Amino acid sequence: MACASPELVPIEDLRAWRDGDTEMFTRCCGWMEHHANNNNNGNNNESAIRLWNTLRQMAGLSLKNALVTPPLPFTTQHALNNKHLLPKRMTLSPEAAAEIKTSLLRCITDTESGVRNAASTAIARCCTIAAGVDEMKAFSVAQWGELVAGSSFNDLTPALLGMLSNPNETLRKEALACLNCLVGPMPGSLVSRMNDYLAGLSGLSSDPSPAVRALVCQGIVSLLNKRSEYVKPYIASIAEFMLRATSDADETVALEACEFWLTFASLDEADDGMMECVVGLFPRLLPILLKGMVYPLEKIEELMEVNALDEDGGVDRVQDLAPVFHKSRVKGTADDDESESDEDDDFDDDNEWTLRKCSAASLDALAGLYGAAYTLPPLLPALQEGLGHNDQWVREASILALGAISEGCHEDLAQHLPQIHPFLLSQLSSPDSLPQLRCISAWTIGRYSSWVVDQMNDDKGDKTLVAKVAEALVGRILDRNKKVQVAACSSLGVFVESAGELMIPYLEPVYRALAEATKVYRTRSLMVLFDTLGVMADFIGASTGEGHIPSLYVPALLQLWNNMACNNPFERALLPLMECLGSITVACGMNFQPWALEAFDNSMSMIEACNLVIVHEEELAVDDELADPIICSVDLMDGLVEGLGGNFVALVHGSAKFGPTFSNVLVGLSEHELPGVRMSLFALLGDLARNAPSLIEEGLPKLLLGAISSIDPMHPAMCNNAIWAIGEICVRCGDNSGPLNPHAAKLVQQLIPFLMGNSIDLDGITVETHGIAENAATAMGRLACVNPNFVAPDVGRFLHGWCTAMTRISDSNERRDAFQGFVSSLRANPQSIQTAGADLSDTISTILFAVLSWHIPQNDMSADLLHGAYGFQPFPDAYSELLNSLRLLLHDIKSSVGQSLWQQVEGQMPANVKRLMSEVYGI
């Protein structure tokens, strides 16, 4: 990082680099040999120097990361599996630390801005973090003194502040950039001189250099975001400056200033005085934000050129292709299947953060913060003018603004939507509209989907709206412009999420259009299409698989899969295709049978191909991206199991190629080195235990061992699925404890920490995982249902945590199993109640509250429920056997503890709880 040229690197280091990475060495340093053999340098070394400087920046950032979070030394797998064997993180010798600090201070004044930024960021982060990290004591503020001209490091801040008034623009700029880096960690040297820093920002607010003004805005935004108490006293003058800067002629300045409004609206708590100050600027601010959403002229020229390239015959550009990431399934949680998808807030498909995007996001956030009463009066006049403007680019920006305020102003806008919504549909459908205008109209229509649904449920609403929206969006799915294809298809998915079954009458024309789209769409459009098909299956449900409907689109998807896999089995676009097929198989159920064998064989072929690559490429590092096709294939088979139920057994046996090896493949995947693969495998394993247990009997011992070994809090999703799958296997075992006997003791010890709340990672930090305690409580109960003696000896250790976790189980059947196992364990070890805690009455109250949870209406644990009108719900009729068991248990507990203690427990009960216990449980 500190070397301005590879010529300054010691020859020994250069030789080691050359031998280790010849290609990169030649690109960066080959010009030196050329220069030695030729007396003229010319421009041959310019690109190499640029690359060298890039490497210097990367080295600086890597150094910062290594200093902030020192890495672990090389660690064996045995040590990783045994946390007490883990070595301490790497430390630096005093000599090495001194060398690093000297280099960082030298780099602050380097000629390359990227190197200067990396160095100042490293200094700012290291010096403030070091105070509480033993491994970084060498970087504490006190240790820098001898390296800064004989004075202390604290003098660096006033030195930088003094440079803010320097006539040299570069020095002003770099000093301010370094000071801005210190705002986050906020060292004491800056706190004590905060007034000087604020005065420096104020003095530079009218600097002739746009770069300096942008840094002024950046510093103010950092203060607002991280230390708003320093902004509060000066909010009036700061907000006025930011208002002017938001409309600065220099777009970089305007963008940095616009961040102020977005940051302000995102504060956890905003002072009332600050709120009043900002809202007072709305009549001037909101039109400025609206103007900022209009594409600048140079961007318009670029877009006009790109529009011609984006016709459906054009090839996808690299910048059009976002990375594809698989969405994994986590079982046994309240929001079962898949993790949440990203919100539909991508109104532009490029990744650059621009003034347009920031203005729209700021308007969205401010509308959400202040609501329609403050937002609409100053905004509507400018919005109405823009929507009626002859310039399509101005109309496009106004429609973007309309979409941005859809959430914050939804209710108050409802009175205007009967006029606005037809306008949006016309802008989407008009052949004269620019592609950008059609795109933003589709996006905004999606943002108002819930209003359309409200109209369908309103006696006075327009009952044709769903049909009109579906027709308009489907009409643009086959648009010649790729961006319009993506926008229409994406908006259709958003609309379906709101409309759900209201879309059933229009499924045939929609699916015909989507099937036709599979023939003409290219990579980017295809990925959005697959996502939309998955959304339709998830939100419309079984109707998407009824009658002849599946034949309209499933064959097209399978044909596309075969074609893509034939060309490249590792094509990333296959991932969303398999994900959508997984949702479709569940929605179609038995109606997917005509295509089930092909989908199964394709999935198994994908797993086989990936495993072959991993086995034969020994030097290839196995990572999540390489294994994503395996994960998607397993998830698709899980969808087949859910959709076909018990018929999945016949499907596997009907596969001549993969049926005989299916069990072996499951075992192999349960031992896979990547947690993501095992996570999906355990989701499949649990569903197989539910629906097709005969398929796992052969490999059950190894599958159980793999699942128990994967109960690892460092990988919460895998851990969750492993616990859930074990619970499902216990259910299938019934009262046959044979398969579980070899593993029960270890399983109980693995589950206990999750019920005691002390699961920790490699660094000794407690791990919080959504749903994992509930899954552990269910699995423990199901294990006890098989044989209570598996659990009973240790139940006193975790009785309190088990009770607490059972109250949070959302699935009624899983909660029933947990309670049945709990009762059985207490019956097998009655003394556990006496040993569960120091206070026996507290233990009894914990058990009573767990029982009480069966009677609490959903999401209504309020004080009124305990002390107000009686509102407890009856015990579910379907679980009358469990109710009788709980009655007997509570009677026995009351009898065993004695009258005096029971009266103490009863005296703490609210009146409604006493009534419930008397009427339902007879105690």
Side-chain angles (χ1 to χ4, degrees), residues 765-825:
I765 299 173
T766 300
V767 178
E768 295 290 338
T769 53
H770 173 63
I772 201 165
E774 293 88 322
N775 268 338
T778 302
M780 191 74 84
R782 287 174 166 176
L783 182 64
C785 288
V786 177
N787 185 345
N789 292 317
F790 287 154
V791 177
D794 294 300
V795 70
R797 293 172 54 196
F798 57 90
L799 186 148
H800 284 253
W802 196 0
C803 287
T804 301
M806 286 192 297
T807 65
R808 301 198 301 262
I809 299 173
S810 58
D811 182 272
S812 296
N813 288 332
E814 292 180 357
R815 183 192 280 194
R816 174 204 59 197
D817 293 347
F819 272 88
Q820 283 180 338
F822 176 74
V823 173
S824 298
S825 299

Side-chain angles (χ1 to χ4, degrees), residues 25 179 371 387 450 540 618 838 880:
F25 176 84
L179 285 166
L387 292 173
S450 60
I540 300 175
E618 295 182 0
S880 58

